[in-house]
Amino acid sequence: MPLDAYVEAHRTDRVTATCWLVEIRFPVIQRLTDHVQPIVYGGDTFAPAPLKVDGVSADSSDVASSSGGLSIGAGDDYWPTLLAALAEDERHPEVVLYEAWFAVPPVSATPAAVRTVATFLLESAEVTTQEARLTLAPLSDGTLGRLPFREYGGALCTYRVAGGPQCGAAAAAAGCARTWTACGVFANQARFGGCRELPGEEVSITWRWWQGANLIEKTLTLRRRAV
């Protein structure tokens, strides 16, 4: 039975379980699942992690323009690896979401069927001590081809779309001048995407986390971009 037919045939089965499989294609690929046990698919193992997927279109015909969000909670060995990848590796890796289906309980480690829901590009990431929140953009979004990773710009807001998901201001913000003062007009300075004051030629950011009994420290240096 073709995969789409299998999914549709078993979508309402009470004995059918589903879960997400997430593949983040950093140089060292991260594979995670929201299931309680590791899931094996395509010869690869997806490790359990606290995951939440939202805003993703279920219409397979619309995957080219689909976008959404992915939240990953702090946890086991994947967490420090994920933090290091977000800071040091390619900033806009592909993120692939799969939906795994299991025919009968108890769920085995191997799904009965898997379908690819969508392939995205990582647009941005916000990290706290509790979770990493990833904003996913369409794979066809050419504006994500370059982000000055080890540079920073001036005092203008860097969000690509005024009033968009990162900005969050009203649609009228489309004519925003992208300055701190202009952001205040829209009562949106809490989400301003630029520098209120220009720092020096270099800015260093350091963060630390525990990996077992070892305290790990990473430092990232950003240099002002030449105008």
Side-chain angles (χ1 to χ4, degrees):
M1 178 182 294
L3 177 57
D4 287 347
Y6 176 93
V7 170
E8 292 305 319
H10 294 278
R11 183 176 296 280
T12 58
D13 290 359
R14 293 186 177 182
V15 296
T16 301
T18 67
C19 71
W20 288 110
L21 304 180
V22 178
E23 186 173 86
I24 309 175
R25 294 177 174 173
F26 287 116
V28 177
I29 297 176
Q30 299 293 294
R31 296 183 177 91
L32 305 171
T33 177
D34 61 348
H35 201 271
V36 296
Q37 70 179 56
I39 301 299
V40 177
Y41 170 60
D44 298 311
T45 300
F46 292 75
L51 292 179
K52 179 182 178 183
V53 177
D54 56 76
V56 176
S57 173
D59 184 357
S60 60
S61 66
D62 192 38
V63 295
S65 61
S66 183
S67 60
L70 171 63
S71 296
I72 305 174
D76 294 329
D77 293 342
Y78 68 84
W79 183 245
T81 304
L82 177 64
L83 293 183
L86 288 172
E88 296 183 351
D89 291 326
E90 178 188 348
R91 294 300 299 273
H92 298 297
E94 291 185 357
V95 179
V96 186
L97 293 183
Y98 304 94
E99 186 179 20
W101 294 73
F102 302 90
V104 293
V107 177
S108 68
T110 303
V114 175
R115 70 168 180 169
T116 302
V117 176
T119 301
F120 304 95
L121 288 177
L122 173 60
E123 177 177 342
S124 62
E126 298 179 9
V127 180
T128 70
T129 57
Q130 299 298 317
E131 70 172 1
R133 170 70 180 174
L134 310 184
T135 299
L136 307 178
L139 184 62
S140 58
D141 190 342
T143 62
L144 296 182
R146 176 185 181 273
L147 176 71
F149 171 35
R150 299 188 187 278
E151 304 173 326
Y152 67 90
L156 295 181
C157 180
T158 60
Y159 293 158
R160 293 182 297 109
V161 180
Q166 288 180 294
C167 168
C176 177
R178 299 182 180 271
T179 64
W180 172 258
T181 301
C183 196
V185 174
F186 299 99
N188 197 46
Q189 289 178 331
R191 300 181 67 174
F192 181 61
C195 297
R196 183 176 178 180
E197 297 178 359
L198 287 177
E201 292 299 319
E202 293 189 352
V203 176
S204 293
I205 303 171
T206 300
W207 68 102
R208 303 174 181 85
W209 69 92
W210 288 97
Q211 185 173 354
N214 299 318
L215 180 62
I216 309 300
E217 178 177 299
K218 291 285 186 178
T219 299
L220 176 67
T221 299
L222 306 179
R223 297 176 179 84
R224 185 180 296 183
R225 185 186 320 138
V227 178

